[in-house]
Amino acid sequence: GVRPGGFWYRVLASFIDDILTSGAVLFLISVIGYFSVPLVTSFAAGLIYWASLLYAPVLLGIWSTTVGKRALNMYVLKLDGSPVGFWRALGREVAKGLMAIPFGLTFWFVAFREDKRGLHDLIAGTVVVQR
């Protein structure tokens, strides 16, 4: 059976993914920590931004899931059930970021729509399913 990935499951999956990306970047920063503090700080901010932006599209393009979603047995698919692919996943991530700005709009969609599709899912033509 497949059902839509619920709101709190998606929140937990995002939390897991955020910890992984931030942890990886912080580890990298500690390895190159011999730079001056202002340079490391700005470099870290840039790395965290790019890592968080590319993390999901790369993994969704390869496996249709991220580490956090996989831990909860969730997958991101196109509406026809096929793999989402890198470019659609990248567009989905950009839409998620933009739609989060006005009062977390995209997340309200996930919380209150019966099919649990966020505004970013509607824009990208994707659905998060839990198996």
Side-chain angles (χ1 to χ4, degrees):
V2 174
R3 63 182 187 273
F7 177 77
W8 290 111
Y9 284 101
R10 289 174 72 167
V11 168
L12 181 57
S14 291
F15 181 71
I16 292 167
D17 290 332
D18 290 344
I19 287 183
L20 286 174
T21 56
S22 299
V25 168
L26 292 175
F27 175 76
L28 181 61
I29 294 303
S30 70
V31 169
I32 59 170
Y34 58 88
F35 290 120
S36 69
V37 171
L39 179 61
V40 169
T41 302
S42 61
F43 182 67
L47 263 178
I48 290 170
Y49 170 78
W50 286 107
S52 63
L53 179 65
L54 294 176
Y55 168 80
V58 168
L59 293 183
L60 292 176
I62 297 169
W63 297 307
S64 295
T65 191
T66 62
V67 173
K69 283 181 178 55
R70 179 65 186 111
L72 299 168
N73 212 22
M74 293 190 301
Y75 298 86
V76 180
L77 303 170
K78 293 194 301 190
L79 293 177
D80 64 5
S82 63
V84 70
F86 173 80
W87 292 108
R88 186 179 298 258
L90 181 60
R92 180 180 180 271
E93 287 301 304
V94 170
K96 184 175 17 175
L98 292 175
M99 296 299 111
I101 293 170
F103 310 109
L105 184 60
T106 193
F107 308 110
W108 288 100
F109 275 63
V110 175
F112 294 110
R113 283 181 59 98
E114 191 171 327
D115 64 1
K116 301 300 179 194
R117 291 177 66 206
L119 188 52
H120 60 292
D121 290 314
L122 296 171
I123 291 169
T126 58
V127 63
V128 178
V129 297
Q130 190 168 26
R131 296 181 182 160

